Amino acid sequence: MKKLSFLFAQLFFVGLIFSQDLKYYLPDSVSYDPSIPKPKDIIYHEVGEWHVTHDRLVNYMKVIATAAPQRVKLETMGLTYESRPQVLLIITSPKNHQRLEEIRQHNIKLVDPSQSASVNIENMPVVVYIGHSIHGNESSGTNAALVSAYYLAAAQGKQIDELLENVVILFDPSFNPDGLQRFSTWANQHKSKNLVSDPNSREFNEVWPGGRFNHYWFDLNRDWLPAVHIESQNRLTWYHKWKPNILTDHHEQGSNATFFFQPGVPSRVNPLTPDKNQDLTGKLGKFHAKFLDRIGSLYFTKENYDDFYYGKGSTYPDVNGAIGILFEQASSRGHLQLTANGLLSFPATIKNQFVTTLSTLEGAKVLRKEFLEYQRDFYKLAANRAAAYTVKGYVFGDKNDLAKTFHFAEMLKRHQIEINELPDNWSDAGFEKESAYMVSLNQPQHSLIRAIFEKTYDYKDSLFYDITAWTMPLAFGIPYAELTGAIALGNKVESLKTPKAGIIGGRSNYGYLIKWDELYAPAALNELLNAGLVAKVATNSFETGVSGGNKKFS
Ligand SMILES: [Zn+2]
């Protein structure tokens, strides 16, 4: 008899895992607007029953924006390499939606020290960017986005009204659409009718390169700083359009772990990140702990993970006057996996991600003024940091490679860094006015400029999770120099001009020479070869007559 009741208990437990409807995730103390479609009405399966594909995810986000226009507005940030839309929902109260542009302008003023003192933050909403599954195969985040979007659009009552009155949510359901699509296809096509939890099952072992990466197999969670890829570029445009005060970055970790939230290891925080940033991260952490306790989930904090490399989504905000939060959920990878902690179901992983979105929003609401003040101070104090620092600016540029110089300057502009031309009386022969720029460190993005140009030799900790060095001019192979003492700046560069190539000396009746130093020389050669022209390579430097004069070629 005892044995039988144990068996029943097991069956009951398994039943709980597999036939979840939305109630499993949602707080039961809240009522919901029945006119808002549930995910299953649109994506054809319960959340967690299958891994949502990106197309179905976008369908649902569109429906939510149409069904709850007073709360939700859908924007398309751009398209991925595989032409998937990067959608962003802007979610806030109906009242805030009516003055959305005014709220955005307020937030922009907050990061401008020349205007920020006059901004009244008393009734100003805090801006929270919620971001999911930049690693496409860490998909509990994106699947939780279905629940979060439903909750934020459909929940009724004083609590949600208060939240939406005080918070503008920039809701990004998928940081990496192409990777998500690749992974969801794998996980779904290998799902068994009777779920197989053996970690050796094919369901949990994607073939290389897997869904972590974007179309070009690049890890987008290392690209926030170089911003080489289209997904990062689209996202950064919207990031700086709004200057969020908090950004969340929902990931997954090894299946035998539990749940991690930042702060990370204190000795592995980037020294350019202010202590106050970590204090506020810790204050938000108390909300995550409380919310996870309520549903009986295990977690850890201040261990294992860094907060160092600004090319990661959870660290980039830390050098932009905001608070970035890394979440790491133990991965079920497929639908149900046996782990050191017992059976880990996909729905259980989704639930933790959803709950920590709620805890973030609650913390943002309660600590609203602290986040706004912190961002204002971060930029106000940039001038003090600049005054106290020996290096006053940088000059950079490659005389022989205008395109590379252009792309480096373009990267700086993407991060809202001001750059200047060289002044007329410039005398350092290493750099020429036509092919170089200057960056002053006395500007709001002081810390980010240092993060890009500085070489870091000293570390508090010898252990690291990830990237420790990324001096960007060295990565680009671009000449640069530190400027100390008083510096004179040339004109401010408002917009960069793409360098244009051309033919010197007009049409030839014999042949043409192409310099090989330029970034796009190989592309030009490829065009010529495709056009059927014959090309030869010079393997020594030489000098020859070109268009009336002699010219040296390397
Ligand atoms: Zn990850």
Side-chain angles (χ1 to χ4, degrees):
M1 193 60 210
K2 214 171 174 186
K3 212 170 182 180
L4 202 60
S5 61
F6 173 71
L7 184 66
F8 278 136
Q10 284 281 328
L11 286 173
F12 179 64
F13 175 59
V14 171
L16 262 186
I17 293 172
F18 305 128
S19 55
Q20 309 303 356
D21 64 12
L22 220 44
K23 284 200 191 95
Y24 169 72
Y25 304 102
L26 295 169
D28 51 14
S29 54
V30 178
S31 64
Y32 297 90
D33 178 351
S35 75
I36 305 297
K38 292 179 176 162
K40 192 183 178 180
D41 301 332
I42 307 303
I43 66 169
Y44 307 108
H45 60 78
E46 291 291 358
V47 173
E49 187 184 355
W50 295 91
H51 282 251
V52 73
T53 55
H54 188 259
D55 41 9
R56 295 187 199 204
L57 178 78
V58 171
N59 285 349
Y60 187 63
M61 297 303 147
K62 282 185 177 165
V63 165
I64 283 289
T66 312
Q70 69 287 357
R71 281 191 190 175
V72 184
K73 186 178 178 206
L74 183 138
E75 299 279 0
T76 301
M77 296 187 282
L79 300 179
T80 67
Y81 291 115
E82 296 178 15
S83 292
R84 291 196 173 80
Q86 290 175 266
V87 297
L88 185 75
L89 301 185
I90 301 178
I91 308 172
T92 190
S93 71
K95 220 169 90 192
N96 286 341
H97 264 297
Q98 281 165 18
R99 54 176 192 118
L100 199 60
E101 181 56 18
E102 188 193 317
I103 294 170
R104 189 181 76 79
Q105 293 291 347
H106 259 76
N107 233 51
I108 298 297
K109 274 190 193 163
L110 210 59
V111 304
D112 177 357
S114 70
Q115 299 190 71
S116 64
S118 69
V119 177
N120 180 6
I121 60 170
E122 215 47 52
N123 297 309
M124 189 175 158
V126 64
V127 180
V128 183
Y129 195 121
I130 306 277
H132 302 93
S133 303
I134 198 161
H135 296 135
N137 60 3
E138 299 175 2
S139 72
S140 54
T142 284
N143 284 271
L146 295 162
V147 186
S148 305
Y150 172 75
Y151 174 85
L152 293 168
Q156 299 295 302
K158 193 170 163 249
Q159 203 181 346
I160 186 80
D161 288 345
E162 246 180 52
L163 178 74
L164 296 179
E165 205 49 55
N166 286 288
V167 186
V168 172
I169 304 157
L170 306 176
F171 190 83
D172 190 335
S174 170
F175 271 151
N176 176 7
D178 296 346
L180 176 80
Q181 190 72 14
R182 196 178 313 136
F183 174 70
S184 58
T185 302
W186 178 272
N188 289 336
Q189 76 188 16
H190 294 103
K191 180 187 174 186
S192 307
K193 181 162 182 275
N194 300 302
L195 296 186
V196 177
S197 62
D198 184 339
N200 295 306
S201 167
R202 185 170 170 83
E203 184 181 345
F204 311 118
N205 295 282
E206 273 182 290
V207 287
W208 187 86
R212 180 180 178 93
F213 310 108
N214 75 345
H215 176 81
Y216 287 109
W217 306 350
F218 197 94
D219 187 336
L220 290 175
N221 199 38
R222 304 297 181 272
D223 195 40
W224 283 77
L225 199 56
V228 171
H229 287 275
I230 189 71
E231 292 90 351
S232 314
Q233 294 169 4
N234 291 334
R235 195 189 315 118
L236 281 173
T237 303
W238 279 82
Y239 182 94
H240 288 292
K241 198 170 162 177
W242 272 94
K243 304 280 185 189
N245 305 99
I246 299 170
L247 181 141
T248 62
D249 192 14
H250 290 263
H251 286 252
E252 287 184 357
Q253 56 184 329
S255 302
N256 293 322
T258 57
F259 188 91
F260 167 83
F261 54 81
Q262 270 176 338
V265 182
S267 57
R268 299 185 216 160
V269 176
N270 194 300
L272 292 167
T273 297
D275 293 343
K276 176 87 180 163
N277 167 290
Q278 295 294 297
D279 291 349
L280 285 170
T281 306
K283 280 189 174 180
L284 260 186
K286 293 215 160 60
F287 287 85
H288 310 319
K290 197 169 106 187
F291 277 57
L292 289 166
D293 282 344
R294 210 181 277 163
I295 60 167
S297 286
L298 298 173
Y299 53 82
F300 64 100
T301 186
K302 292 193 172 176
E303 289 177 29
N304 206 28
Y305 293 97
D306 304 338
D307 204 356
F308 199 91
Y309 173 48
Y310 292 123
K312 288 179 161 184
S314 54
T315 309
Y316 183 77
D318 299 339
V319 77
N320 281 281
I323 310 294
I325 307 289
L326 173 66
F327 292 125
E328 294 275 358
Q329 163 65 47
S331 182
S332 67
R333 203 63 69 188
H335 296 82
L336 180 74
Q337 192 173 162
L338 187 60
T339 74
N341 297 312
L343 284 174
L344 178 62
S345 76
F346 185 39
T349 67
I350 295 170
K351 191 170 181 174
N352 286 340
Q353 303 274 26
F354 168 63
V355 160
T356 43
T357 289
L358 294 188
S359 60
T360 302
L361 294 174
E362 179 66 14
K365 185 193 82 182
V366 173
L367 305 168
R368 179 183 60 85
K369 274 171 72 178
E370 285 195 53
F371 290 115
L372 292 168
E373 271 164 14
Y374 170 71
Q375 192 173 46
R376 170 153 65 189
D377 289 347
F378 178 88
Y379 284 104
K380 207 167 70 184
L381 295 172
N384 299 6
R385 291 196 289 270
Y389 192 55
T390 44
V391 180
K392 298 301 168 197
Y394 296 94
V395 55
F396 68 89
D398 189 332
K399 283 188 250 196
N400 297 310
D401 196 340
L402 298 182
K404 195 164 73 179
T405 304
F406 166 78
H407 285 307
F408 191 85
E410 190 185 37
M411 183 267 297
L412 297 178
K413 294 282 271 186
R414 229 185 270 296
H415 297 300
Q416 311 275 296
I417 291 168
E418 287 172 19
I419 60 177
N420 293 74
E421 293 173 0
L422 303 194
D424 290 330
N425 58 355
W426 180 262
S427 58
D428 181 339
F431 301 93
E432 291 172 357
K433 195 171 159 66
E434 299 71 35
S435 56
Y437 298 101
M438 299 172 80
V439 186
S440 165
L441 270 165
N442 187 15
Q443 60 171 297
Q445 289 295 47
H446 169 89
S447 297
L448 184 51
I449 297 166
R450 285 175 58 182
I452 286 172
F453 282 90
E454 273 182 353
K455 291 175 188 157
T456 309
Y457 299 111
D458 299 318
Y459 296 89
K460 275 192 201 166
D461 202 327
S462 62
L463 288 176
F464 256 85
Y465 178 82
D466 205 283
I467 299 173
T468 55
W470 57 84
T471 309
M472 296 288 275
L474 299 182
F476 271 70
I478 206 160
Y480 77 110
E482 290 178 351
L483 302 170
T484 49
I487 54 171
L489 298 166
N491 292 332
K492 192 175 156 187
V493 178
E494 298 293 348
S495 62
L496 288 165
K497 286 187 201 75
T498 317
K500 286 247 178 330
I503 294 172
I504 298 165
R507 178 181 278 260
S508 170
N509 56 7
Y510 185 74
Y512 298 88
L513 294 159
I514 304 177
K515 287 172 72 180
W516 196 245
D517 313 273
E518 279 283 344
L519 182 66
Y520 289 108
L525 174 63
N526 187 50
E527 291 274 315
L528 297 174
L529 292 175
N530 279 338
L533 301 188
V534 176
K536 300 279 182 186
V537 60
T539 54
N540 275 315
S541 56
F542 65 96
E543 190 172 333
T544 189
V546 174
S547 172
N550 262 17
K551 214 171 165 65
K552 279 184 183 162
F553 289 84
S554 60

